[in-house]
Structure formats: C-alpha cells, structure tokens
Amino acid sequence: MMSQRRGSGSVRRDRLFRILTHAARVVTVTAAAGSGKTVLVRSWLNESGRADRAAWVSLPEETTGAQSFWLSVTDALRGPEPDVVPPVTAAPAMAGRELVDRLVDHLAALEDDVWLILDDVHLLRSPEALDDLQRLIERAPSRLRLVLLSRYDLDLRLHRFRLAGELTEIRGDNLRFTSEEAAALFEEAGISPSPSAAALIQERTEGWAAGLRLAALSLAGQDDPDRFAADFSGSERNVASYLLDEVLRRQPDDTQRMLLHTSILDQVCGPLADLLGEVEGGEGLLKSLEAVNAFVVSTGTGWFRYHHLFAGLLRDQLRHRESPESVRDLHRRAAHWFADNGHPIEAVRQAQAAEDWSSAAEWLVSSWPALYLNGQSALVNVLLQKFPDLTASPGLAAVAAADQLYLGSPAQAESYLQGAEASGILNALVRMLFARQIGDPPALIEGAGLLQELARTPRLGDDLKTLALIHLGGAELAAGRPEPARLHLELGVAQARRIDRPYLVMGGLANLALHEATRSLTRACAHAREALDLAAQHGWHSDPAVGNAGALIGYLRAWQERPDEAETLLENVFRVLQPDGDPETAMRAYAARGALALAHGRVGEALIALQIAEDFGCRFVVRHTLALQIRMQMLHLRLRSGEFAFVERQLNDLVRFRGYEVYLICLADLQVRQGDQAAAIETLQAVLDGTVEGGDHISRTRAHLLYALAQESESESHAALEQALALAAPDDLVLPFRQYELRSLLEQHQTAHTGLLARLVTPSTSGLRLQRPLTRSELRVLQYLPTHLSMPQIAEALVVSVNTIRTHMKSVYTKLDTHSRDETVAEARRLGLLARI
C-alpha cells in the first residue's frame, strides 16, 4: 500500500505500521539521530488508536539515575492504568530494583495491553538502571508491551527473546524512506519537486528522515528546485547545523580530526584512518562509530564509508579548518598509501586531487593494460578527463590514444599515437587496437605477433598473450582465413578461462560466434548468447564485442522470420551504437537491420540498411569479408526488383571476387532470372562441390534453392530442394525460401523436415506497411532523424544541400502523416522503419 499524505504533519508508513501492529512483546527501534524513530511510534499509536494505552518516557540529555528513571516510568504508567499502578513517593533509601519488583507485581493485574515507550534509552547510562531495565523486560507480564527507542544497541542481553520469537527489531535500514514515502513527505510539505530532483535528494539523503525533512524545508523557498537538488549536500545550512550539533560535536577531538581528515576518501580503512587521522586503532574507532549509528557504514572486509550528507559536512568543515596545501597533502599521502597497497585507481584519483600529475600519470599508465583486460575502458576515460595535458608523457599519450579508440575516434587516436612511445607493451597493445579499429588485418596480425613477443613479464604475460591470440583470430577472420582464426580463438578462449579473465572470454566468444556463423548459426548464437550474458554480468553493455554478438543473434532471428525477437535484440545494439564507433559493429548491426526489414517484407528499407552497412565497411583499410556478403545481398534484392542490367554491370565490376561463394550464388541468381538455366547450373556446381571460399548456411541454402529452380527434371528439383531443407532445418531458416517462387514445389515435396516445411507453405506475415513507401533517399534521411544532428549536419553527412534534406523531410512527414521530427521518429519506430528504442 502506498504511503498517504497526512494532515498531521507526518507521513503514514504502512509497511512499518504493520510491523508494529504484529510486533512481539519487546520492540527495539535502533537507528541514527533523525531517522524518525519517535515520529514513527507516535504516529502509529495515534493511527492505531493505542495512544490512550501508551506510557511515554523521554529520557533527558543529562545522566539519569536509577531511582529517578523508575519514578518517571511509574508516573507514565499511571496515565493509562491509574487503578493498577499506585503512585510512588521518592525515598533516599529506595533502590531501582525495589521499584521494578513493585511495578511488576502491580502490572500483573493488567487486563488490557499497555505500551511502555522508552525514548532515547541510549541516554540511560547508569549500569544499575540498565540492570533494572533488564529485570523488567524479563519479569514483566505479557500485557506490558515494551518499545525501546535508541541510537545504538544497549547491553540488555536480548538474544533469549530473539530466539524465543519475543523480540521485534526495527533498524536504520527499515526506517529509510522509500521513494513513495519521500514523495508523500514532499507533498505534505506543500512542495512538488520534479521526479529527477526528488530522486536525487532521495539518493543524497539515503532515505534519512531528517535529511528529507530538512531538504523539504529548504526547497520551500527555492526558485529552481532542480538546481537545489543537484547542489544539495551536508554543507546545506539546515543539514550542516543538525549534523554538527547531533553528530560531529558529540565526538572527542581526536575522533573529529580522524573524521575530517579521512573525509577526502570515498572509503576508509583502519590503516588509512591511522595515517591521515593521526590516531592509533583507527579500525576499532570506525567500528565503534558504526555501532552507535554515527553515520559510519561498514562496506565489508575492514572498509567503511560515511553517509553522503555526513561526508559532505565533513569535507566542507575540512576546507574551512585546513589550508588548501594541507588538504592536498592529505590527498598526496593517501595516494601513496593506495599505490603501495595495490589500489592503483584510487592512487590515481588521490594524486589528481593533490595535483600531483606526474604520479597520477605514472600509476594510470602502469595499470592501464590490466584495466583494459578487465573491461574498464570507461573508467579510464573518466580518469583521463581530469588531466590538464594528455601529452605530458609518452605513456599517457598512448593511453589517451587507446581512449579515443574506445570512443570511436581513430583519427584523434592517431594524433596521440604520434606522441606516444615507440616501443613497449603499452604501445604495441594500443597500436594493435588501432589496427583493429581501422580494419587493417595485416597490421593487426603483425601487432598480435609483436605483442606475444613482448608479453614476457610474469604478471601480465599470460594476459597479453591471450589477448594477442584473440585479436589474431579476429584479424584472420576478417581477412578470410577461417581455420587459423578458429584455432587461435578457441585457444585464446580456453586460456582466458584458465586465467580467469572474463573480458577476454567475452571477446573471444563473440569472435568465435562470428566464425561459427559460417557453419551453424544456431551454434554461433550459443557462443554469442554466452558473450552477452558475461557482458550483462559485468556491465560491458557498450563494448564492440557485445554489439557484434547482439547483431549476430538478431540477424539469425530475422532469417528465421522472427522479426519481433530480432527487433528486441537490435534495439539494445543500436541503443549503444555510436555513429563514429567501431565500424565492424555498425556494419553487422545494419546488415542485421537489413535482414529484419526483409523479414517484414520491406525490400526498399532493407536496401537502405545494407547500403549504410556497406558505407561503414568503406572505413576499413583492407576490405572486410562481410562487405562482399553485404554487396551481394544488395544485388539479390535488386534482382527481386527486376534490375537485371544493373546487377550484371555490378558483377562485371566485381569479377575479381569470382572465387567467392557469395559472388557465384548472386551470378547464378541473375542467370536463373534471365532464363539461362544451364549457365546457372554450371555456376552453382563449384559452390555445391565446395571448391570456393566463404559463405554460410544462408548462402548455401540459397545455392541449393537456385539449383532446384534451374533443373528441368522434377526429381532433380526435389533432390536439390531436400538439400536446401536439410541445410536450413538445424537453424530453422525461413527467409531464404521467401526470396524465390517455390510455393508449388514446396507443397508437392515430401520431407523429414516437416516442421520447417509447414512454416514455408504458410504465407508470410509481414509487419505494417506504408501506403506510399519511402524512396531510397527519404529512407537515408530518416536514419539520421533520431540523432541530434541539425539539417546542415545531415546534409554534410549525405553530401547534399540543406534544401534537399528539407524537401526529403517534408515528404517523409507527409507519407507518415506526422508534423514534427520527434513524432516522425516515433511513428517510424512503430512501423519498423527505425529501431524501437
């Protein structure tokens, strides 16, 4: 049930009310100052109608003795039960134990439940009083329900009650406001921050009740709530005042110094607390602060962090109390501690904060190979942005070049490489990545070999050799050398698993999937799926290997005529695809989109997607094998449109590729459609004999289908058709059969592949269609509308005038019946003309 607005000035917290309503005899509510302990219990008592059955005792700040405490308890209990609990007069000789025993005897006569609430019970410091409270808890009748509100756990030996199910515990985690409760609190305060501002305040306060209420108080007078939320921290006046009075100033001087000096860190451990805080036993001190809920939180294995708002207060106080040089010195000392103790990233961050740029560069350069091998290129990018000069050292320039490759800017990467060191592992690795980005397999193969020679250091040798194997396999795959590629990739994946490098496993599996696609798309997708699962597990969503794997599975789903599944997969690919990113990933993604358009029955849109894929292929220094497959697929589609002369000219221009399977199949397609069956059979014979290069099950299925169409004998046609079905059935390929007039032949065919045949004789169910299809030029313009490019920028990209772009956009709006760019993009996605993101 959602929290509701209450006119009383509090927020109804149903989830906690339910806990209290069904609570055991003893309830402890333990949390930091300002967590809403008192407000929670008071509002529950009022809401549930139990307020007149409650005895509330609030302990004063000063130390309370046993006798005065129990006199206060007795007086409070007389409120709901004046006839059961008689008045007690203080006497010098009366001990607390005696008062407790008398009270227990009187309470035995209770006929209805009474709630005794002890607020701020952590202030009950008298050992005698605590012993007496323990005695009351153990001996009190079941009608007395005890609720203890405290900032930290007291030594009351409650484990027996916990084991017996007689104890209900509410802690800080339970008291944190949910986003719905925070929204209700803001509504109660009469303010309406935007969802993003409310979410940011919720994150900064970590659901801390006082923080939210203080934020609401400050927001009431703000003209720009979003700006306030972005700047909201522990240094905000109301929050700072509260935390100073309730938390920081209550600590001893040495503890305050330790908190202030270690606030420069995101996390602190005992040795760092000793070093920066100039104390002994820092870990014990941090544990004690956590135990008393002083806004110190354990993150496990000896490390601690401060609550976001408390950390903000401490840093603000540190700036006011220490000189800038003293603060830089703290960062400098922390940096060297992190470097000496195996935490290079934190060392870099602290050195940057200390403006010690040479040390920061040294540690980043030395740790970069391991960061890359762990898939942490995004983190490197963040760290590099803080350096004032990325060419300050050859090593830093090399890392900057690698970062530009990660961002998809090979030209900028090349400019950094000119200032990088000429030798060494780092430079060899970056230059190998550069060769991969620009599509230069020979240079990539050479770089992989050099890297294997250089990778001889004990710590990184196995890592770099494994990386070299995987990139070598990928280069051989791109160069059309499938068998060496398979051997190197399988060996690289096996080694990556052995040395526990999941990032390398992912990259190797993605490349293995591309290799396996030439033999079995189903097995290829198994590799691709494992790569995607690894990426999801580690957060590598934007890596090129992920794009290739997702595009491959989407490609298969399209050829299986499962467009909805293909669309879902390709949405994820295009969501992270960068216009200037990895060209191979983009090429595969648009090839898959072409297959998806074809599955929808939209040949024109398929041609546009394939043309864009080929444009990306032109960025490679050496022609990628996929580029030839894309060109041949485009020619197949032109043949379907009857453009025989155009296709014939294209094939003549590409005659140097006659030794490739995809070329010969396209030639045979032309010959069959022109009625030259004998020439088609002769052309296809080399493909069916397996004496030419390249191809996959899709192209070979098409070859058998063309062979069936070229045969004059019905028996030979059916034999060839059976071969096509046998090839297509393991991958459940449907789309190759849709490209030819085979319905009558299929309806007469007898086969063991009955499941696939049943799908093939069922008419295709295409998606939505436009009454007036977009032209090729209009489709090319449409692809740019989801971007942030202006019309002049789109015109520049397509090498046309701005007026031409304006004319095409106007035509697209008319055909889609839309009136704005955003509306057009939404409608195009609904129609399947663009990825549905």
Side-chain angles (χ1 to χ4, degrees), residues 275 332-344 346-347 362-363:
L275 174 69
R332 192 176 299 113
R333 290 156 62 191
H336 284 278
W337 186 93
F338 280 120
D340 293 342
N341 287 274
H343 302 283
E346 283 305 314
E362 176 188 346
W363 290 325

Side-chain angles (χ1 to χ4, degrees), residues 445-466:
I445 291 170
E446 180 184 350
L450 175 61
L451 194 61
Q452 284 184 299
E453 292 179 15
L454 291 172
R456 303 192 185 284
T457 59
R459 187 169 66 90
L460 286 176
D462 286 345
D463 290 341
L464 293 181
K465 287 174 185 175
T466 304

Side-chain angles (χ1 to χ4, degrees), residues 20 38 40-58 72-82 85 107 110 112-119 143-149:
L20 289 169
T38 301
L40 169 67
V41 176
R42 283 197 184 279
S43 58
W44 171 72
L45 289 171
N46 291 327
E47 185 71 24
S48 65
R50 294 177 171 88
D52 60 345
R53 301 295 299 162
W56 195 288
V57 179
S58 297
S72 298
V73 171
T74 301
D75 286 344
L77 284 168
R78 280 185 49 74
E81 288 291 348
V85 181
L107 293 173
L110 285 174
D112 295 312
D113 288 344
V114 172
W115 280 262
L116 172 60
I117 296 92
L118 303 180
D119 197 2
R143 289 294 187 185
L144 182 67
R145 317 297 292 274
L146 288 104
V147 182
L148 310 180
L149 311 184

Side-chain angles (χ1 to χ4, degrees), residues 777-817:
S777 296
E778 290 164 356
L779 283 165
R780 286 179 69 84
V781 171
L782 179 63
Q783 301 296 322
Y784 285 91
L785 295 191
T787 70
H788 296 295
L789 297 180
S790 64
M791 277 200 289
Q793 290 171 320
I794 297 174
E796 183 180 356
L798 293 177
V799 197
V800 296
S801 70
V802 175
N803 285 335
T804 299
I805 297 298
R806 186 177 290 110
T807 300
H808 289 326
M809 287 178 66
K810 183 177 180 181
S811 180
V812 170
Y813 286 10
T814 300
K815 290 180 178 180
L816 270 62
D817 191 23

Side-chain angles (χ1 to χ4, degrees), residues 51 79 97 149 432 657 832:
R97 183 186 183 95
L149 311 184
M432 187 182 73
F657 296 109

Side-chain angles (χ1 to χ4, degrees), residues 179 182-183 186 193-203 205 212 219 226 229:
S179 56
F186 291 139
S194 67
S196 60
L200 192 53
I201 292 173
Q202 167 80 2
E203 178 186 347
T205 61
L212 287 166
L219 268 170
D226 287 0

Side-chain angles (χ1 to χ4, degrees), residues 186 189-193 213-223 225 228 238:
F186 291 139
I191 59 174
S192 301
R213 294 185 186 280
L214 292 170
L217 181 66
S218 300
L219 268 170
Q222 296 295 324
D223 295 330
F228 171 81
N238 291 325

